[in-house]
Amino acid sequence: MTPPDTLIRRQAFVGGLWCDALDGRRLAITDPADGSEICEVAHLSREDAKRAIGCAAEALPAWRARPAAERAAFLRRWADLVLESIEPLAKLLTREQGKPLAEARAEIAQAAAFLGWFAEEARRVYGDLIPAPRADRRTLVLKQPVGVVAAITPWNFPAAMVARKVAPALAAGCTLVLKPAPQTPLSALALAVLAEAAGLPPGVLNIIPGEAEPIGNALIDSHAVRKLTFTGSTAVGRQLLARSAATLKRVSLELGGNAPFIVFADADLDAAVEGAIESKFRNSGQTCVCANRLLVEDSIYDAFSARLAARAKALVVAPGLAPGSQQGPLIDQSAVDKVEALIADAVDKGARVLTGGGRHVLGGTFFQPTVLTEATADMQLCQAEIFGPVAPLYRFHTENEAVALADATPFGLASYVYSSDLGRALRVGEALQCGMVGINVGAMSTETAPFGGVKDSGFGREGSMYGIDEYLDLKYLSLDLSAR
């Protein structure tokens, strides 16, 4: 196992070298559990980003020319090293992000799973031979790497989101410049340590922590960058998409969510409650696919809400590295302020607090697991992405009403349906306007299935056999057999 101290890097990774910002600036990384400083890292600028783009462009010809089997072997070695270092990686992730250590371990395992999955997909990038219109012609279709990729990842899953973008891009033959979230760059840099150990050629992967706007603008404005992949807010996604038009980049966006969690009267209540706990309170509710609105059929509303409140109240809130921790702190004070404001608005408009409702006695950014009943569509938390441990419950009476309530949002990332009636579950699942539906499951992210949304939740898919297509261009060759 890799010693923990060897995974912490305080510099950026550019062109195969660990380097400081050109202007020497540094950024303090803090532990959200207690506000203590973990370390300082290089704080890169627009000029640094241009240098990283140049390194990626220089490394591209050799990397894309490598046989797929060689790229696959590298990804496999990298995945193995990540699994061998799962404990120090998980502890580092918990320190910078705050989630419980058990969740951090699961995230590191998922990161390794993405690397391993796309190691295999690298060997399955097939073209086509299409029947030609003439006997002396052949029509071939090739799939080729799109080129240099810019990837921007969020703070809530600082390891898994890196692997979910980097693995398919490298498998396809692309090179990358990756900008991690400023709150959580250490996990990305630690993964780069292991990529280097696995034999990654210089310049193929560049990791540049630093300022969002200057770095983002450099990545978007560059004609050398042919693809942008972004996970984050819808507001920022719109800005990136608009600006990318100037260079006609390919863009994939995984943006905000407002997931409905629908519980019908015929559902297994115990299973539905456990699914809601898993979906809503994982990572303190700071996930884009977590249950944002719990829609419960009227006849079981009181029973479900009482059981859910009891389970939420029993969750162990503690620093992520504390034994038995089930919910860690929110990422920062602004997250706490947002959650408080949403709860206050809901209570002012008639919601009832069954459990929680305020800051935790631990202080800092810890917040109580909260369950609200009598939520209605006029409350701010009905349309906002809560991104905190707050479960608002809404009533419905019919299947059609449930679908209408679920789809009454501009977002369309994930949805959940609990019912023992398979026909109903499939009917509702097909009707919901979203990219993913969990039927009697509260967590469904996996490397084997396509992850992504519709409407204001963005477009493009990550993971699965479809994920590598985001990094490939089609090329059509028309061949004249009679030519001499």
Side-chain angles (χ1 to χ4, degrees), residues 256-260 288 290 292-293 381-385 406 409 411 413-414 457:
N258 189 3
C288 54
C290 76
N292 210 60
R293 296 167 294 145
L381 48 65
C382 183
Q383 292 299 326
E385 188 174 23
T409 171
F411 298 100
L413 188 56
S457 291

Side-chain angles (χ1 to χ4, degrees), residues 79-298:
D80 290 342
L81 290 175
V82 170
L83 288 176
E84 290 172 12
S85 302
I86 192 168
E87 197 64 17
L89 285 170
K91 288 179 179 177
L92 179 61
L93 193 159
T94 291
R95 288 186 66 196
E96 69 170 344
Q97 201 276 334
K99 67 180 59 177
L101 185 57
E103 291 188 19
R105 291 190 186 108
E107 180 177 341
I108 298 303
Q110 187 178 45
F114 280 116
L115 296 174
W117 173 267
F118 284 107
E120 299 303 316
E121 289 302 299
R123 303 162 66 98
R124 299 188 178 95
V125 177
Y126 303 135
D128 289 295
L129 179 63
I130 299 174
R134 291 170 40 175
D136 61 347
R137 296 287 175 87
R138 294 294 182 268
T139 300
L140 292 78
V141 177
L142 307 180
K143 291 184 178 181
Q144 296 183 319
V146 68
V148 175
V149 173
I152 302 175
T153 54
W155 52 260
N156 55 342
F157 290 94
M161 295 302 96
V162 169
R164 199 165 76 182
K165 295 181 185 298
V166 170
L170 294 185
C174 300
T175 56
L176 291 96
V177 179
L178 183 139
K179 185 204 170 300
Q183 301 93 328
T184 57
L186 298 179
S187 291
L189 294 170
L191 288 175
V193 172
L194 299 179
E196 187 179 30
L200 181 71
V204 173
L205 173 63
N206 306 273
I207 301 198
I208 53 172
E211 291 185 82
E213 189 171 348
I215 290 178
N217 288 343
L219 295 173
I220 294 168
D221 293 344
S222 171
H223 286 271
V225 174
R226 300 313 311 146
K227 160 81 179 184
L228 169 69
T229 172
F230 169 76
T231 296
S233 72
T234 297
V236 174
R238 284 196 181 99
Q239 295 173 11
L240 295 174
L241 179 61
R243 188 150 182 167
S244 295
T247 53
L248 291 177
K249 285 178 176 48
R250 285 184 61 177
V251 178
S252 56
L253 303 172
E254 196 263 284
L255 307 176
N258 189 3
F261 189 99
I262 305 171
V263 185
F264 287 98
D266 59 12
D268 179 328
L269 275 194
D270 289 334
V273 168
E274 290 307 311
I277 291 290
E278 183 178 30
S279 176
K280 174 70 260 184
F281 295 102
R282 182 168 63 107
N283 199 20
S284 302
Q286 299 172 121
T287 83
C288 54
V289 294
C290 76
N292 210 60
R293 296 167 294 145
L294 285 78
L295 313 180
V296 184
E297 194 164 356
D298 181 68

